Amino acid sequence: MVQIRSLVWSLMVVLLTMLANGEDPYRFFTWNVTYGDIYPLGVKQQGILINGQFPGPRIEAVTNDNVIVSVTNSLDEPFLLSWNGIQQRRNSWQDGVYGTNCPIPPGQNFTYILQFKDQIGSFFYFPSLALHKAAGGFGGIKIDSRPRIPVPFPQPAGEFTILTGDWFKQNHTDLKAILDGGHDLPFPDGLLINGRGSNGFTFTVDQGKTYRFRLSNVGLTTSINFRIQGHKMLLVEAEGTHTLQNTYSSLDIHLGQSYSVLVTADQPGQDYYIVVSTRFTSQVLTATSILHYSNSAGSVSGPPPGGPTIQIDWSLNQARSVRQNLTASGPRPNPQGSYHYGLVNTTRTIRLANSAPVINGKQRYAVNSVSFIPADTPLKLADYFNIPGVFSPGTISPNPTGGGGYLQTSVMAADFRSFAEVVFENSEDTVQSWHIDGHFFFVVGMDGGQWSESSRLSYNLRDTISRCTVQVYPKSWTALYMPMDNVGMWNIRSENWARQYLGQQFYLRVYSPANSWRDEYPIPKNALVCGRASGRKTRPL
């Protein structure tokens, strides 16, 4: 009965919204989240399936589409989905992380009401609670440009989504117990391509035609390199930005990142290896799939092509070569280069340093010495209902403290429409990967050593890439220019999921005093309430 009432309410909201915004199409998805047996590395595991699928079904939409996803949680534990790279304009209520949403209780339903406002490109969704991501529950998101908006390359003959990353043979509950015990995760057992190990997947192409591959690293701990035997890749998109169309033999994809490449089947008619391998690891893991020509006269031959392993300079130089196509239209018909980010005055500088402190005898991870601990109530709900004692803005310093690590529900305050310089500083000897929900940013610089004000002299203030996930190399820094143009409570996190789970994250509260629907949507009528918000009313329909 509860699920029926939730579905009826969701349909009513959709119908009323359609009347108000009839120009934007609606796409409906009904998902049932269950456990199921999976064998990605040949060992039986308890996977998280969506409509019986691992990975889950792909969301296909067009810029500004309204996407209605009705999720029934048939697991025996709470569950949340988040949308990596979807900006949720004015609507952090739908972000699907614990700081903004109550989990969906077992046996209950929640309907996400999303709009892919002014976005194009390749992204993915994933389960955001605990270590659910280590069990599946992820899938691709494809947002096409509106038909009247020109795209800077011919229409491909077809396209494929590749979700790849590291994988563990242990169930997600066992991995969570390792982290809860104060230890880091072991080295992964292998890599997957679309939920399967080596040679478990075949992509069929016609000779002479060009195809688009949408690539996402959905792993937990490891950067990867992607390549196709005997073929070049033309990079055309990075997380919603049309890129300068450089050609690569292989491409590094760091945790949480997404790209699109064009591949032309211009080789003799046979089969070729598609290869992913780990980067910056002492032991190199590799997985393969098959690029199958429809007129193939033979199977794959020889060993899979090797790729880079621990070369940081190689990866850094490649990262600097990924730049935006200034003349291409983005989700709107105006050129991407019409936003002159380098001419905007920054209003503040935020420096964020990762660390790996041991706190109370257990391994933790931190940002500016603060290791995040979840509150008993989602921070967005506490903010909306003015519930005291849940969090306080300013509980994390905007600069590294140099002190020891400590536990705190950390929230940083930011003013709406400010323009920040954000510098990630990594003094550790491992590659970091950072994601900022609800926003895009311009990657103006990255280099080795310690960041200083003189580092600004090397910034790219003309055509650097705009994205939502960025790597920071060992003993290095990465600098961003970021418009704080989206009111709400937004998660800033390590994409290394063990580090995120053990505290390497915090929330950015972007605040507007206007309290206007023009700046932020009101709380959804179907918003789940929990913790100290239990029993509170949302709003009339």
Side-chain angles (χ1 to χ4, degrees), residues 228-250:
I228 301 178
Q229 182 183 26
H231 293 73
K232 300 293 186 181
M233 299 179 291
L234 188 70
L235 182 66
V236 295
E237 178 246 333
E239 293 164 19
T241 299
H242 290 305
T243 64
L244 199 65
Q245 294 182 9
N246 293 326
T247 299
Y248 299 94
S249 297
S250 68

Side-chain angles (χ1 to χ4, degrees), residues 213-354:
F213 286 76
R214 297 176 184 264
L215 315 170
S216 294
N217 183 345
V218 297
L220 271 73
T221 65
T222 312
S223 299
I224 61 170
N225 181 268
F226 178 89
R227 53 200 180 271
I228 301 178
Q229 182 183 26
H231 293 73
K232 300 293 186 181
M233 299 179 291
L234 188 70
L235 182 66
V236 295
E237 178 246 333
E239 293 164 19
T241 299
H242 290 305
T243 64
L244 199 65
Q245 294 182 9
N246 293 326
T247 299
Y248 299 94
S249 297
S250 68
L251 186 64
D252 278 354
I253 311 174
H254 302 276
L255 288 165
Q257 291 186 338
S258 298
Y259 291 99
S260 283
V261 296
L262 298 182
V263 178
T264 300
D266 56 3
Q267 298 301 303
Q270 62 179 59
D271 292 356
Y272 298 88
Y273 283 113
I274 296 174
V275 187
V276 293
S277 59
T278 56
R279 289 286 268 126
F280 320 116
T281 57
S282 56
Q283 176 187 350
V284 178
L285 299 176
T286 301
T288 57
S289 286
I290 304 300
L291 184 72
H292 171 71
Y293 278 43
S294 58
N295 64 339
S296 175
S299 60
V300 290
S301 59
T309 54
I310 61 173
Q311 302 91 333
I312 293 173
D313 286 347
W314 184 97
S315 187
L316 175 62
N317 289 332
Q318 183 181 84
R320 288 172 173 162
S321 74
V322 178
R323 295 179 287 158
Q324 64 173 311
N325 185 333
L326 295 178
T327 61
S329 296
R332 296 186 178 187
N334 53 301
Q336 293 178 150
S338 61
Y339 185 89
H340 299 287
Y341 67 92
L343 300 179
V344 181
N345 291 325
T346 57
T347 54
R348 66 187 297 196
T349 296
I350 300 170
R351 296 169 54 207
L352 302 172
N354 50 271

Side-chain angles (χ1 to χ4, degrees), residues 152-172:
F153 49 86
Q155 178 69 28
E159 64 174 53
F160 306 100
T161 292
I162 292 184
L163 305 174
T164 183
D166 54 22
W167 193 259
F168 295 83
K169 291 181 180 180
Q170 292 167 279
N171 286 337
H172 72 282

